[in-house]
Amino acid sequence: MDKNFYITTPIYYPSAKPHMGHAYSSIIADFFARFKRIDGFNVNFLTGTDEHGLKIQRAAEKKGIGTLKFCDEISETFRELSKILNLTNTDFIRTTEERHKLSVQHLWNELEKNDDIYLSKYSGWYSVSDEAFYTEEEIEEIDGIKKSISSKSTVEWVDEESYFFRLSKWEKPLLKYYKENPDFISPISRKNEVISFVESGLKDLSVSRKSFSWGIKVPNNNDHVIYVWLDALTNYISALNYPNTTDNLFKSFWPASIHLIGKDILRFHAVYWPAFLLASKLPLPKKIYGHGWILSGDEKMSKSKGNILDPLEIINLYGLDPLRYYLIKEVSFGNDGNISKERLENCINSDLANNFGNLCQRVIAFTFKNCDGKVPDKIDFQKEDLKILNNFKSNLDKIRKKIDNQDINFYINFIVDTLFESNKYFNDQEPWKKKIEIERLNTIVYTSLEIIRKISIMLYPIIPQSSLKALKIFGLKENDIKFSTLENHNYLVEGRSINKIDILFQKIEKKDD
Ligand code: MSP
């Protein structure tokens, strides 16, 4: 079985500071990376910044700073955010790095060699904000200003010499590929969108610009810079040392297991990128997943709309793990979702503090009071104990499959339901009434401790810091976290001391409490 897993986030435009939408993409990617890692996979996890193009050049001009210096500063805030979000990315790529430039120019040469690039002239609409070309049918006029219908960004007229990529040539091969690889584009609703776009006919794509210089030069024609999307998409392989396809990184991790992106950039990933790869005879990524947006009010957050939610503000107020938990649980994965402080506070109070935190504290306190602070011995599992323990064991493969289908909603619901069942189990078994049936009391405590261990492991990809804190009860460290151990009902060593831990989550005082 292929035990290598390669996941990517989009590379972010460093045109402004990161916002909640960016944090969301990254946290979700980290969730998958961590899960795969504890399930024994060798994980490569890439994120970074997309620094070329007119959008960035203009943003730098507006600030009156040199473009690279401008990128250096903002790219650094994205790198810092990765740390603050506790991401386990294995690399952070900047498209202004030399390794990337070499890779992009090589890819360009390959495309040219295979006669997929020709010189002509582009006359049409361009959105700097989206870095995208739009046809007449894709734009509308609002208050005398031409805008993209889909993104509402302003478009401007471009009339200049340009290199073109023969995208039209790849229309049929792409449709064939989508058909033969039904999981390539997910979720399914977005796949249909892409297929109808391709079926409606692909025009050749302008892949260079002549009227500005902030980009990677077209080899052999320094008057042109390479279109920023052809440049940016290549990051996924330049970070694996492409063009050195015999390099260990490339051999181990290409094709990528999944490119995680927002739904607004699906066309670039599900049409242009696979076409570039087909044309350069490289394998295609296994999956493109287009997630929904984090809305502010009813709108997508964006700098131009001035409705940005700052992840740092929320983290300072509530902590990182509650934010991670909230984004993973409350934004139904694949759909759009809203951020509301009220719902975030409810998550903290009810799921994290009451259901998880309390379970840990109750069981620890009971173990200290009645079992000398040790994992009890003389265990004899009964039907009711095995029922709850087997629920993990019998669902292990199902959980793995759900993760491979990006069904985060299943994963989190499994945890929420199990937490509910676990609290109910402890209440129903009433170990405090079993002080003279010592074997029964021991078995209930053992089972409860096992459940806490298992749930903490499942929570690790979502709330890693808190999960590690909880696992301190058993003296377990990050390296000990293995998903496969959820199968084992007898993992905890009888007679070994457990540890008291601090409160995991402070409840938020609500005004009407
Ligand atoms: N630079 C390109 C991506 C190149 S990938 C080869 C880009 N950058 S971006 O900074 O504008 O957006 C990066 C990602 O953030 C996209 O996936 C986008 O969908 C996501 N988000 C931006 N705003 C968002 C929300 N409000 N909510 C969720 N994600 C959103 O596009």
Side-chain angles (χ1 to χ4, degrees):
M1 194 173 68
D2 178 11
K3 275 287 191 181
N4 289 332
F5 183 78
Y6 178 28
I7 186 163
T8 64
T9 72
I11 46 170
Y12 305 107
Y13 288 128
S15 46
K17 278 194 328 205
H19 62 61
M20 195 61 84
H22 305 135
Y24 179 67
S25 278
S26 293
I27 287 172
I28 297 289
D30 189 56
F31 164 82
F32 287 117
R34 283 180 188 267
F35 178 85
K36 283 293 180 181
R37 218 174 274 123
I38 65 169
D39 201 23
F41 284 74
N42 189 12
V43 174
N44 202 55
F45 169 15
L46 179 68
T47 187
T49 43
D50 178 4
E51 308 189 5
H52 291 129
L54 206 46
K55 179 180 171 111
I56 304 295
Q57 184 177 309
R58 285 191 185 159
E61 278 163 7
K62 218 167 147 190
K63 286 260 164 164
I65 318 181
T67 322
L68 185 58
K69 185 157 182 290
F70 175 80
C71 290
D72 286 345
E73 279 171 20
I74 304 193
S75 176
E76 193 51 35
T77 65
F78 277 92
R79 202 187 285 266
E80 273 162 22
L81 183 71
S82 308
K83 295 194 186 111
I84 294 169
L85 297 177
N86 198 5
L87 304 187
T88 53
N89 55 301
T90 46
D91 196 355
F92 184 102
I93 193 159
R94 298 183 56 189
T95 54
T96 45
E97 288 173 58
E98 195 60 21
R99 59 169 171 163
H100 177 72
K101 181 180 151 196
L102 291 175
S103 188
V104 172
Q105 289 184 326
H106 184 90
L107 185 72
W108 178 281
N109 287 335
E110 288 294 293
L111 298 176
E112 205 167 30
K113 198 169 78 191
N114 297 338
D115 188 34
D116 270 294
I117 283 183
Y118 63 91
L119 189 61
S120 182
K121 190 177 172 207
Y122 178 77
S123 301
W125 297 104
Y126 191 76
S127 156
V128 176
S129 168
D130 304 342
E131 296 285 17
F133 301 95
Y134 289 114
T135 62
E136 210 56 65
E137 297 76 52
E138 289 172 313
I139 62 159
E140 61 185 349
E141 195 167 315
I142 302 173
D143 301 331
I145 300 171
K146 305 263 192 203
K147 294 187 181 240
S148 143
I149 297 173
S150 56
S151 73
K152 307 283 175 245
S153 65
T154 305
V155 294
E156 52 194 71
W157 187 254
V158 170
D159 201 357
E160 65 189 38
E161 184 184 77
S162 170
Y163 284 93
F164 280 79
F165 169 71
R166 291 189 202 282
L167 186 61
S168 55
K169 179 173 141 189
W170 298 99
E171 188 181 307
K172 292 222 160 59
L174 281 172
L175 289 170
K176 182 164 173 270
Y177 190 83
Y178 301 148
K179 202 162 177 196
E180 286 170 0
N181 298 275
D183 289 337
F184 178 58
I185 306 167
S186 289
I188 191 100
S189 53
R190 308 222 198 285
K191 168 176 155 173
N192 300 335
E193 235 172 75
V194 172
I195 293 181
S196 17
F197 171 73
V198 177
E199 277 173 346
S200 72
L202 292 178
K203 293 197 182 63
D204 288 351
L205 178 72
S206 162
V207 285
S208 77
R209 296 293 307 269
K210 205 180 173 184
S211 52
F212 65 91
S213 59
W214 181 242
I216 298 176
K217 299 256 184 283
V218 166
N220 306 321
N221 189 345
N222 283 349
D223 293 342
H224 287 251
V225 292
I226 296 175
Y227 174 40
V228 63
W229 273 101
L230 172 51
D231 164 346
L233 289 160
T234 308
N235 91 90
Y236 300 132
I237 53 175
S238 58
L240 301 180
N241 296 333
Y242 176 83
N244 187 356
T245 50
T246 56
D247 185 276
N248 223 0
L249 263 183
F250 192 90
K251 276 199 316 205
S252 308
F253 293 112
W254 193 257
S257 315
I258 178 167
H259 291 319
L260 190 71
I261 55 163
K263 61 182 182 179
D264 49 322
I265 55 172
L266 193 59
R267 190 181 293 182
F268 304 98
H269 283 81
V271 182
Y272 302 167
W273 181 225
F276 298 150
L277 290 167
L278 284 171
S280 48
K281 302 188 176 65
L282 287 169
L284 271 51
K286 291 182 198 143
K287 184 173 279 185
I288 312 286
Y289 191 101
H291 65 67
W293 288 332
I294 303 295
L295 305 176
S296 173
D298 285 334
E299 289 192 309
K300 177 174 179 253
M301 245 175 279
S302 75
K303 190 178 145 225
S304 49
K305 291 192 187 113
N307 59 356
I308 298 296
L309 266 171
D310 183 354
L312 298 184
E313 226 173 83
I314 301 282
I315 293 169
N316 287 339
L317 219 52
Y318 299 102
L320 170 65
D321 279 356
L323 174 66
R324 289 180 61 119
Y325 184 87
Y326 175 83
L327 289 175
I328 289 172
K329 180 181 174 221
E330 295 283 317
V331 180
S332 156
F333 193 54
N335 300 316
D336 294 348
N338 239 298
I339 275 258
S340 118
K341 284 191 182 166
E342 197 192 342
R343 275 172 40 220
L344 174 56
E345 289 177 0
N346 287 344
C347 270
I348 298 176
N349 286 352
S350 104
D351 292 17
L352 298 176
N354 276 351
N355 290 347
F356 181 51
N358 263 358
L359 178 71
C360 294
Q361 293 304 341
R362 277 176 86 191
V363 174
I364 294 173
F366 193 86
T367 311
F368 270 88
K369 204 159 158 214
N370 300 282
C371 308
D372 201 19
K374 295 201 168 95
V375 176
D377 55 8
K378 300 201 191 68
I379 305 307
D380 182 17
F381 290 132
Q382 301 298 306
K383 214 170 67 209
E384 52 275 32
D385 315 317
L386 288 170
K387 183 173 165 231
I388 192 155
L389 291 169
N390 278 332
N391 187 40
F392 291 95
K393 186 172 176 157
S394 57
N395 275 301
L396 235 55
D397 279 331
K398 184 169 178 187
I399 293 169
R400 290 188 173 110
K401 276 205 192 88
K402 293 283 186 186
I403 289 288
D404 285 338
N405 288 322
Q406 291 71 48
D407 194 344
I408 298 187
N409 301 334
F410 173 87
Y411 189 89
I412 188 82
N413 287 335
F414 181 89
I415 295 178
V416 172
D417 292 348
T418 309
L419 272 172
F420 176 82
E421 289 301 327
S422 309
N423 278 298
K424 186 169 178 313
Y425 166 85
F426 198 68
N427 289 341
D428 291 354
Q429 295 306 313
E430 300 181 312
W432 47 89
K433 289 191 184 163
K434 305 279 162 36
K435 298 206 175 161
I436 46 168
E437 294 169 68
I438 196 70
E439 200 168 285
R440 185 65 204 135
L441 181 144
N442 282 357
T443 304
I444 298 168
V445 172
Y446 189 98
T447 305
S448 304
L449 289 169
E450 253 307 322
I451 293 170
I452 291 176
R453 182 186 74 85
K454 292 181 198 307
I455 294 182
S456 302
I457 288 182
M458 281 199 73
L459 280 169
Y460 169 80
I462 307 176
I463 47 171
Q465 286 164 349
S466 313
S467 149
L468 283 168
K469 266 194 215 159
L471 287 167
K472 277 197 186 135
I473 302 171
F474 315 107
L476 294 174
K477 306 233 163 56
E478 203 152 19
N479 283 342
D480 303 315
I481 303 182
K482 297 200 167 59
F483 185 66
S484 58
T485 66
L486 263 59
E487 227 169 322
N488 187 351
H489 300 342
N490 304 96
Y491 183 93
L492 295 174
V493 180
E494 294 176 17
R496 191 167 283 174
S497 296
I498 65 159
N499 305 305
K500 288 186 179 158
I501 55 165
D502 295 336
I503 298 283
L504 288 172
F505 301 95
Q506 291 296 346
K507 281 183 90 166
I508 311 283
E509 296 271 343
K510 293 219 182 187
K511 279 184 211 98
D512 51 338
D513 275 357

